[in-house]
Amino acid sequence: MRSRTLFAISASAVLVTSTGLATASASSAAPQRTVATPSASSYSGSFAISGKSAAAYVVPDDVTQVWSSRRPDGTTQTRYQQKVGNADVFGGQVTVLKNAAGRTTAVIGAYFPDLRPTNAVKVGRAAARGIVVDKVGSRGTFRNHLMVNPRTGRYFYEVQSLRAAQRPVRWVDATSGAVIKAY
């Protein structure tokens, strides 16, 4: 019952209509806003658009296609990842849905325009992995990539050790080598 209640609350938080009007629910104090011309700078953070706004949406220059899928009915779903230099932006993904005629029908995701790093990469990829191995051991298959936190602008490495029954993940600051998050 609780999960249904939480879903209802989150589902009613924002409604995006075919005119591009984002309407806050009656219980929210957020103001209404209209997005007339979708562009990279029109959307900051999480968004969802459909209708005319989606059809006019232009994928920003600082995102790269990660994958695309075509369904039997001809619709496509394409996922893009925002990048700053060689680093992925944490949470900065945009998914574009197109109908069989190739018209964009919906765009969902999160985008952070004009993101600028606030630190320099001084710790290398292998050193970041070594820091995590010292903490969790060397078992498993490691994944390690450079990312940027859009809230802080800081570079960090997300280092994962894929194991049979667990997957320890550590964020290693790319300047200091400090473990800044562990889960």
Side-chain angles (χ1 to χ4, degrees), residues 28-95:
S28 173
Q32 293 185 2
R33 71 178 177 105
T34 301
V35 179
T37 306
S39 68
S41 61
S42 296
Y43 303 102
S44 179
S46 298
F47 67 93
I49 57 174
S50 61
K52 292 178 184 176
S53 292
Y57 183 81
V58 176
V59 176
D61 291 336
D62 61 347
V63 299
T64 57
Q65 183 176 324
V66 177
W67 62 266
S68 187
S69 173
R70 180 175 298 277
R71 299 191 176 127
D73 66 357
T75 60
T76 61
Q77 176 180 348
T78 305
R79 181 72 169 259
Y80 297 89
Q81 172 66 55
Q82 184 178 1
K83 295 207 164 269
V84 172
N86 293 331
D88 289 346
V89 175
F90 181 75
Q93 296 94 22
V94 175
T95 300

Side-chain angles (χ1 to χ4, degrees), residues 71-148:
R71 299 191 176 127
D73 66 357
T75 60
T76 61
Q77 176 180 348
T78 305
R79 181 72 169 259
Y80 297 89
Q81 172 66 55
Q82 184 178 1
K83 295 207 164 269
V84 172
N86 293 331
D88 289 346
V89 175
F90 181 75
Q93 296 94 22
V94 175
T95 300
V96 177
L97 304 169
K98 293 185 178 190
N99 64 17
R103 181 172 183 217
T104 301
T105 57
V107 183
I108 57 173
Y111 179 73
F112 306 94
D114 303 319
L115 183 59
R116 305 258 186 260
T118 59
N119 66 333
V121 177
K122 295 182 179 177
V123 174
R125 183 182 205 131
R129 178 183 170 168
I131 291 165
V132 173
V133 166
D134 288 346
K135 304 281 186 199
V136 303
S138 60
R139 291 185 338 215
T141 301
F142 279 80
R143 289 187 186 164
N144 177 354
H145 65 282
L146 185 62
M147 302 190 84
V148 173

